[in-house]
Amino acid sequence: MTQELIDLKTCLIEGRYAEALEMVEELESMSKKEISRKIKSFLRILLIHLIKTQIEQRLTNSWASSIRTAIREIQDINQKENKSSYYVNDDEWDNLADEILESAIADASDEVLNGKYSRAQLASILDKPAIIATAVNFLNLTYSYSAKELPAIMDEYLSQLPGGDIWLNRGN
């Protein structure tokens, strides 16, 4: 992207404003694609851990940490610079999660119960609507709570996952 910025500066200095505007639009498009890629990547991680939790009926510290991290990163990436709008609106998560779910199932099949199920087997036993609904519930928290408030609120939601009550009360 450094070269693109140098080229943009050159266009502006030389008064080639139409060409500069095209470059700005291209840079904006590249930025949006990168943001979308990052959001999808963290959403895939969230889905993988929700799949593991649903199938194994437990929640480990590592999985809880991965879920929290994915949600915090999505919250940070999803908010536009103006701090008043988002790249993915709250009513778009169902479709996006559905789009990514099959990829998450493929990756989770290598991890769930140490690879006991093939991708197809895991897909057939998984309650996909429940996974998507749970993911969307977590994602919707990012619109209502600040980054500072989110970890405590997420503990409450994590405790509602299979095995979450045991996870929450560990050490007691």
Side-chain angles (χ1 to χ4, degrees):
M1 182 177 306
T2 302
Q3 185 59 48
E4 288 87 351
L5 292 174
I6 292 169
D7 293 345
L8 175 60
K9 182 179 178 181
T10 302
C11 285
L12 291 171
I13 290 170
E14 295 174 358
R16 296 181 284 146
Y17 300 116
E19 190 176 339
L21 186 56
E22 287 178 24
M23 287 182 178
V24 167
E25 289 174 1
E26 184 178 323
L27 287 169
E28 184 179 41
S29 175
M30 288 170 48
S31 176
K32 285 181 182 177
K33 284 181 183 177
E34 180 62 17
I35 289 167
S36 176
R37 186 190 66 73
K38 286 180 180 179
I39 288 172
K40 288 178 179 180
S41 178
F42 283 111
L43 178 55
R44 187 182 59 75
I45 291 166
L46 171 64
L47 292 170
I48 288 169
H49 289 87
L50 292 176
I51 290 167
K52 291 175 7 178
T53 301
Q54 184 187 95
I55 297 299
E56 294 194 21
Q57 292 292 296
R58 65 190 180 107
L59 179 64
T60 69
N61 290 337
S62 174
W63 298 352
S65 178
S66 292
I67 291 168
R68 277 194 306 265
T69 298
I71 294 298
R72 282 193 315 263
E73 290 296 326
I74 288 170
Q75 181 183 44
D76 183 52
I77 296 164
N78 192 34
Q79 193 166 36
K80 291 185 178 180
E81 293 298 320
N82 64 17
K83 303 286 186 196
S84 63
S85 61
Y86 301 91
Y87 292 100
V88 179
N89 294 313
D90 58 353
D91 62 347
E92 298 173 310
W93 287 115
D94 281 302
N95 289 335
L96 192 55
D98 188 53
E99 173 187 321
I100 295 168
L101 185 59
E102 291 304 319
S103 173
I105 292 170
D107 291 340
S109 70
D110 294 332
E111 298 181 31
V112 170
L113 298 170
N114 295 316
K116 177 180 178 179
Y117 301 111
S118 70
R119 185 209 51 79
Q121 291 169 324
L122 184 58
S124 71
I125 62 172
L126 190 64
D127 184 349
K128 294 177 187 178
I131 291 292
I132 291 173
T134 301
V136 170
N137 284 338
F138 274 107
L139 292 161
N140 283 335
L141 297 174
T142 67
Y143 300 96
S144 303
Y145 298 97
S146 69
K148 184 177 179 179
E149 299 168 315
L150 197 56
I153 298 299
M154 287 190 60
D155 281 353
E156 180 182 324
Y157 280 74
L158 287 165
S159 72
Q160 296 171 21
L161 295 175
D165 54 340
I166 296 168
W167 168 82
L168 185 63
N169 294 312
R170 66 194 182 276
N172 286 341

